[in-house]
Amino acid sequence: MQGPSIEFANVNLELGNTKILDDVNFTIRAGTIHCVVGANGGGKTSLIRSLVGQMPHTGRISIQWQEGRVIGYVPQALDFDRSLPITVLDFMAMTCQRRPVFLGVSRARRRLIAATLERLGLGGKLGSKLGSLSGGERQRVLFAQALIPEPALLVLDEPMTGLDLAGKDIMEGAIREFAGAGGTVVWINHDIVQVYEIADALTYINRQVLLDGAPHEVLASGAATHLFPTLTLPAREVLSA
Amino acid sequence: MNSPYEVPRQFIIHLADTGVIHYTFTYAFVVNGLLCALVVGPLLGGIGTMVVAKRMAFFSQAVGNAALTGVAIGVILGESYTAPYVSMFSFCLLFGLFLNFARNRTKMSSDTLIGVFLSISLAIGATALLWVSAKVNTHILDTVMFGSILTVNDTDITVLLITALLTAVTALPLFNRMLLASLNPSLAHVRGIKVHLLEYVFVLLVTILTVACVKIIGAVLVEALLLIPAAAARNLNRSIKGFVWWSIVFSTVSCLVGIYAPMRYDLPVPSGGAIILTGAAIFLATMIIRMTVPRYREAAI
């Protein structure tokens, strides 16, 4: 598998009278983990929603596909009626099969879903009600659905919100494994230490691209100190080490 | 030419004649009602789960009430007051589509917008009824509002069957996609699902279903059969499979009991009312089970 490279060229987005993205230019290399960081309201989610074709942007976003053209997308959170009778298997199956889920799931697909959930530490949760899972477990289910069918590009919108340490480790492992196999990852991430440790590239956005490059270079620059004023002391120590 | 429904009708009448089933089924109109119930029950029970999942209960209520306005307009325009399908379909479709169009283009919450549209529709209906009362006795509109199996004829059964077929071939292949679109539109969009188009398709389905079922259940009560069996099934299930199948069972049982019981026991209740009261009894029973049986209490968390 080989993920695509992506080029954002003069991307602008205006909603009503508000300029959300202002002449955004940067490139995401194929087969890398590329983190998008920035303050709340800086246009990160709008940027990736433009990437997946959900925003009326201007300019050019070109995806140079290599092998496969499947995008796996993990939204910020699944906002739904928790009391709805939907099991984890129902949810996973409805994202990847045509046959109405109330008519059943084929054995092969059920095995694939079970194996994917197992990879994310959710073995045994197949029959659990989606609404009764913890927030962290539900985030992992959301991540699991993005892996079926096998994507070439993973687009993640803060997928680790609400995850405990064990959950973070499992998901981080899955992301590394995916990128290691050649997949491209575009990831909105607020955890700058994690970005430093795992990302191949980082782009800081606040309507415009303010920083772009390899994390160790970007975070060592003077501008980074100014842009990450709230970085905690332990985190600074990790980065400076 | 004989009616295509003559064979099943005669079969059921024969069963009643020979004492296999109760003698009330020797009457053709009762059999017509039974045939309709066997179509309406599964149809509304199945689609109802989607209405509940998509939180469109108030919408379906509004479409049901719009049917009344459609009937009033139909009578003014000279349609038959027992089956003003053209006006009902036209007005309800316009109502449903325009409401969905407005919902996609305002930031107003759905219930506010539906409330506004419902009020407008009722105001037009009330005005139109004044005109209608000059033409016909408005009491005949009770049939439209609360349903009556006494007046179900072959045309009504045909309309119902065509609607059922149309709904099945449309909703079955789109079931998963419609459900995913209601859970998370962004996720659905990335998976190539045309979220807005599916919303319109669903609005069309609910509208057409409502109008087709008006005769047997009534304009005011049809949405109740979309909601109550699904709500009852939701009380007792944790998976979509159980949710949909139990909703279909509850809905079909409600229809059969609602049609049969008033005749069998000589109760002065219209078919629509009896169907909904049966559904309500099932709903209450599931509520009690949910509150008292530990297994279901867990499922309802």
Side-chain angles (χ1 to χ4, degrees):
Chain A
M1 185 242 298
Q2 178 62 56
S5 60
I6 304 164
E7 189 193 352
F8 293 82
N10 310 111
V11 175
N12 286 279
L13 176 66
E14 218 166 305
L15 295 177
N17 289 325
T18 315
K19 191 128 195 161
I20 310 289
L21 297 172
D22 185 9
D23 204 25
V24 168
N25 292 283
F26 70 100
T27 303
I28 295 170
R29 282 179 293 121
T32 58
I33 298 176
H34 194 116
C35 286
V36 179
V37 299
N40 292 334
K44 302 184 297 297
T45 295
S46 297
L47 182 81
I48 66 162
R49 289 189 68 191
S50 298
L51 169 65
V52 295
Q54 292 178 6
M55 284 284 179
H57 65 275
T58 58
R60 189 166 54 85
I61 301 176
S62 57
I63 306 179
Q64 275 91 41
W65 294 101
Q66 317 277 330
E67 287 170 45
R69 299 175 75 96
V70 177
I71 300 177
Y73 173 60
V74 182
Q76 229 164 36
L78 194 61
D79 176 29
F80 74 112
D81 180 353
R82 302 267 164 90
S83 66
L84 264 185
I86 294 179
T87 62
V88 173
L89 176 66
D90 287 336
F91 174 71
M92 293 289 290
M94 88 171 70
T95 61
C96 63
Q97 78 168 25
R98 284 237 161 167
R99 186 205 295 179
V101 280
F102 68 87
L103 294 180
V105 182
S106 73
R107 263 189 208 164
R109 200 168 293 275
R110 197 188 173 94
R111 270 199 299 273
L112 176 65
I113 291 170
T116 310
L117 289 172
E118 188 73 49
R119 267 174 70 193
L120 290 162
L122 294 167
K125 292 284 181 189
L126 211 59
S128 300
K129 206 169 148 185
L130 194 61
S132 64
L133 296 183
S134 70
E137 286 173 330
R138 208 159 34 243
Q139 280 304 109
R140 278 186 276 159
V141 171
L142 269 182
F143 187 82
Q145 63 76 32
L147 300 177
I148 305 175
E150 191 186 32
L153 169 64
L154 264 184
V155 180
L156 316 173
D157 191 353
E158 296 183 52
M160 299 204 185
T161 310
L163 249 64
D164 57 13
L165 278 177
K168 271 188 180 176
D169 279 349
I170 292 170
M171 201 184 279
E172 222 181 83
I175 293 169
R176 278 184 204 271
E177 196 184 316
F178 174 77
T184 306
V185 181
V186 184
W187 179 1
I188 294 183
N189 195 340
H190 280 297
D191 184 346
I192 202 69
V193 177
Q194 189 179 47
V195 171
Y196 184 79
E197 285 172 355
I198 196 174
D200 299 303
L202 165 151
T203 300
Y204 186 103
I205 284 181
N206 192 0
R207 285 196 298 129
Q208 296 173 313
V209 173
L210 299 182
L211 295 169
D212 184 37
H216 63 274
E217 289 169 11
V218 170
L219 293 169
S221 69
T225 323
H226 172 67
L227 289 172
F228 301 110
T230 55
L231 212 57
T232 59
L233 195 60
R236 282 186 186 284
E237 281 166 3
V238 170
L239 295 179
S240 61
Chain B
M1 201 181 91
N2 272 345
S3 155
Y5 311 113
E6 212 47 53
V7 175
R9 202 151 41 207
Q10 286 308 323
F11 176 70
I12 294 171
I13 289 173
H14 173 71
L15 289 180
D17 278 340
T18 51
V20 177
I21 54 175
H22 195 258
Y23 78 91
T24 45
F25 288 102
T26 50
Y27 300 112
F29 71 85
V30 181
V31 178
N32 281 350
L34 183 76
L35 292 175
C36 285
L38 290 172
V39 181
V40 168
L43 195 60
L44 293 189
I47 289 291
T49 56
M50 195 66 87
V51 171
V52 168
K54 290 170 85 69
R55 302 182 205 187
M56 287 181 75
F58 193 24
F59 172 82
S60 63
Q61 166 94 39
V63 170
N65 287 329
L68 184 66
T69 308
V71 170
I73 292 172
V75 174
I76 291 173
L77 295 177
E79 262 197 278
S80 149
Y81 56 79
T82 54
Y85 281 119
V86 175
S87 303
M88 257 200 299
F89 269 120
S90 311
F91 185 76
C92 287
L93 278 179
L94 275 178
F95 179 86
L97 292 177
F98 192 51
L99 176 52
N100 201 47
F101 178 81
R103 200 170 55 162
N104 287 337
R105 276 162 185 75
T106 63
K107 288 191 172 172
M108 215 180 283
S109 70
S110 259
D111 60 337
T112 308
L113 200 64
I114 294 170
V116 170
F117 271 69
L118 177 59
S119 313
I120 294 170
S121 156
L122 284 177
I124 296 171
T127 312
L129 279 175
L130 265 184
W131 289 54
V132 171
S133 62
K135 280 188 154 190
V136 291
N137 183 349
T138 46
H139 283 300
I140 56 156
L141 292 178
D142 288 354
T143 308
V144 178
M145 288 170 76
F146 302 108
S148 169
I149 57 160
L150 292 171
T151 56
V152 167
N153 54 30
D154 285 359
T155 312
D156 299 321
I157 299 177
T158 305
V159 169
L160 201 56
L161 279 176
I162 292 171
T163 309
L165 201 67
L166 196 70
T167 308
V169 298
T170 313
L172 283 177
L174 295 176
F175 184 88
N176 291 352
R177 281 178 269 182
M178 281 182 178
L179 205 53
L180 184 61
S182 67
L183 283 180
N184 193 300
S186 278
L187 189 58
H189 186 274
V190 173
R191 291 210 171 244
I193 296 169
K194 300 201 178 339
V195 177
H196 285 311
L197 181 66
L198 284 191
E199 258 176 33
Y200 277 106
V201 170
F202 190 69
V203 164
L204 280 176
L205 281 182
V206 170
T207 308
I208 291 169
L209 265 181
T210 303
V211 174
C213 295
V214 151
K215 207 56 179 302
I216 187 156
I217 307 171
V220 179
L221 296 175
V222 65
E223 71 277 359
L225 201 56
L226 274 172
L227 300 180
I228 294 175
R234 179 181 161 144
N235 277 340
L236 300 184
N237 289 284
R238 58 162 64 229
S239 73
I240 291 183
K241 197 173 183 175
F243 182 32
V244 173
W245 288 115
W246 276 109
S247 176
I248 288 173
V249 168
F250 289 156
S251 175
T252 309
V253 167
S254 302
C255 285
L256 293 176
V257 173
I259 285 169
Y260 178 69
M263 295 193 196
R264 174 73 178 81
Y265 301 105
D266 238 352
L267 304 172
V269 187
S271 58
I275 288 169
I276 302 309
L277 286 174
T278 310
I282 294 174
F283 176 74
L284 285 176
T286 61
M287 282 286 282
I288 292 167
I289 293 172
R290 177 182 150 165
M291 286 188 289
T292 53
V293 180
R295 181 174 157 229
Y296 291 113
R297 205 161 42 208
E298 192 275 325
I301 288 171

